[in-house]
Amino acid sequence: MKKTGILMPVSALPSTTGVGELGWASYQWIDIMKENGVKIWQILPLNPVGFGNSPYQPYSSCAGDELYISLDLLFEAGLLDKKPDKFRENAKRVDYTAVRAFKESYLREAFEKFVAGDGQKDPAYVDFMSQDWVYTYGVFRALKLDNNGDCWNDWKADYKNWSGDKSVLSENVEKEARYQCFIQYIFYTQWMAVKKYANEAGIEVMGDVPFYVGLDSVDVWSGKDNFLLDTDGRPIFIAGVPPDYFSATGQRWGNPIYDWDYLKKNKYKFWVDRIGYSNKLFDIIRIDHFRAFDTFWKIPASCPTAIDGEWIEAPGYEVIDTLNKELPGVNLVAEDLGELRPEVLELKDHYHLKGMRILLFSINTKGKYARDISNDIENVIFYTGTHDNDTLMQWYDGLTVAAKRKVREFLKKQGIKAGNIKDRLLTYVLKSKAEYAIIPLADIIGLGKEGHINTPGTVGSPNWEWHMVDFNKAKEELARYKNLIMNR
């Protein structure tokens, strides 16, 4: 069955607090998708963002970012004395630092009321706390705060190598850890309610799991043996990709490399736990940088760029076999973009996983005529672009006059003549054979540079900051494509 999806980060949803939340806007957005026949809501990672506010450098693979917690829902639950003030209500960019500072006092007030009301005895809370990762994450965040935000490998030995002994934690650290656990409980409760509402509306949620984890994360701090680190907790090798379309010096991500020999001895428990938890949160799991299950770029940590490195084979078949065995029915899709050796696609196809096809990369205008250089096949997800690409209109507006003419002539040859150029390009994607057609909301509403989410190889503002003021344009434009979406 063909399905249409929309890529829309939670952070970009309209709100009264300057960042998307798991409150009214999430439910309204689901209603809008349902009304227009959209069957998949693709989001970006929800984990606590780390360096550069990137959701691909999070503090945890399981935890959710407190930024997304709805303060209005906390008020309705009786955990706040008064309705929260409005803050940056009409902001077109997310100011992460300012929003965190604004929300923190409300979140801490809610925690105090939760404790005072014996919320910690609630069976649902007790059940949530029974998960191994929760308290460990709470301690990690508490110790990070106690150490001025420094990376864990700069902490004193008792904290750097903490093994679960609560006696080494101060009273303040212990209280902060419990606050962090409360935050995770609220996030989980609010998110699962949103997911339930989406599922009941016939919409699946596609989550995004980065292949690597950040160095400054609870994953590495509490599981050092899973990674290639020196005795001081610093990476010996780091992840990235060699020079490519995006960068002449490659991308030096800085994530630690997995110790695959150790992971194998432990039956890939790290991956089973990580994907297993994501399987609770999402209906479909997109594995970012899937190619690293086949071969990964291994860069010596001493190298300032990603130019110096080597491709190393990974045990992808063993890992995915293990995931399928331990997590029956898990629905994985593969981000398989870029220059790949054939074995990557063989690995993907062996498990019948959907890969990705990008319109911006598919339409070649270099010859006499524009042509689609990709294969129009069914078991694939066809995107106009992703969070790492220019928006559709940004791409088109950047073409030469001749290239634009070739694109229009190409579409005409496909029988697509009606509407403006955005309509015609979206029609081409929606009429493809691809089982899933997923379009970023910025492309649905025709945004240019202002809707660009991230530029690979760059860090910080304006990456990850796109934010919508309201749904007016989204509702108007989606309604125009409703028939195309419904009749895929």
Side-chain angles (χ1 to χ4, degrees), residues 10 13-14 20-31 33 41 68 191 194 197 471:
V10 170
L13 292 169
E21 298 181 330
L22 303 176
W24 63 269
S26 291
Y27 294 92
Q28 187 177 352
W29 171 235
I30 291 166
D31 289 341
M33 287 190 288
W41 177 15
Y68 307 132
W191 169 250
V194 168
Y197 191 77
F471 284 124

Side-chain angles (χ1 to χ4, degrees), residues 289-476:
H289 196 54
F290 176 84
R291 73 144 307 147
F293 273 129
D294 171 71
T295 44
F296 58 92
W297 190 242
K298 186 179 181 182
I299 309 165
S302 58
C303 293
T305 72
I307 292 176
D308 296 321
E310 60 177 330
W311 287 113
I312 305 295
E313 290 191 1
Y317 288 93
E318 287 186 9
V319 178
I320 299 174
D321 281 344
T322 302
L323 292 176
N324 286 333
K325 177 184 176 183
E326 299 296 327
L327 306 169
V330 65
N331 190 355
L332 305 177
V333 299
E335 183 274 291
D336 58 346
L337 303 176
E339 296 182 8
L340 307 174
R341 70 177 196 155
E343 288 85 350
V344 179
L345 302 180
E346 290 171 10
L347 174 66
K348 173 182 68 75
D349 292 342
H350 178 79
Y351 296 100
H352 307 290
L353 305 181
K354 288 179 177 61
M356 295 174 59
R357 176 185 172 210
I358 308 294
L359 178 66
L360 273 59
F361 298 154
S362 296
I363 304 298
N364 187 313
T365 61
K366 291 181 180 179
K368 186 176 180 180
Y369 304 103
R371 60 195 178 93
D372 189 338
I373 59 174
S374 63
N375 295 319
D376 189 11
I377 56 178
E378 294 179 10
N379 193 37
V380 76
I381 308 173
F382 195 8
Y383 292 83
T384 49
T386 73
H387 61 275
D388 282 337
N389 302 127
D390 289 346
T391 65
L392 184 62
M393 295 314 298
Q394 185 181 8
W395 165 78
Y396 181 78
D397 289 342
L399 296 176
T400 65
V401 172
K404 289 178 181 176
R405 184 184 68 252
K406 292 175 189 177
V407 170
R408 293 194 300 269
E409 290 174 349
F410 168 79
L411 294 169
K412 188 175 181 180
K413 288 179 181 178
Q414 312 306 310
I416 303 172
K417 305 172 185 178
N420 58 37
I421 188 62
K422 174 172 74 82
D423 292 344
R424 282 176 272 168
L425 288 167
L426 294 185
T427 298
Y428 182 68
V429 172
L430 292 171
K431 284 192 171 182
S432 72
K433 292 179 182 177
E435 189 173 341
Y436 294 174
I438 296 183
I439 302 169
L441 187 62
D443 289 347
I444 291 285
I445 60 182
L447 295 182
K449 185 179 180 180
E450 69 275 18
H452 191 122
I453 294 177
N454 176 59
T455 301
T458 66
V459 177
S461 184
N463 292 337
W464 316 113
E465 293 176 354
W466 177 55
H467 185 248
M468 293 180 62
V469 175
D470 56 50
F471 284 124
N472 294 340
K473 189 70 171 177
K475 287 191 284 189
E476 177 186 324

Side-chain angles (χ1 to χ4, degrees), residues 124-166:
Y125 180 79
V126 173
D127 182 61
F128 178 78
M129 287 297 298
S130 69
Q131 301 173 99
D132 291 340
W133 71 267
V134 180
Y135 183 70
T136 303
Y137 172 77
V139 171
F140 173 77
R141 289 300 299 269
L143 290 175
K144 190 166 181 61
L145 181 65
D146 197 53
N147 283 272
N148 303 309
D150 291 344
C151 184
W152 63 267
N153 53 25
D154 287 324
W155 300 347
K156 67 179 185 179
D158 280 353
Y159 291 166
K160 181 191 296 188
N161 301 309
W162 188 69
S163 59
D165 182 2
K166 292 185 180 181

Side-chain angles (χ1 to χ4, degrees), residues 11 115 131 147 176 181 188 257 333 363 393 450 483:
S11 61
V115 173
Q131 301 173 99
N147 283 272
E176 179 65 20
C181 293
Y188 177 81
I257 295 289
V333 299
I363 304 298
M393 295 314 298
E450 69 275 18
N483 286 338

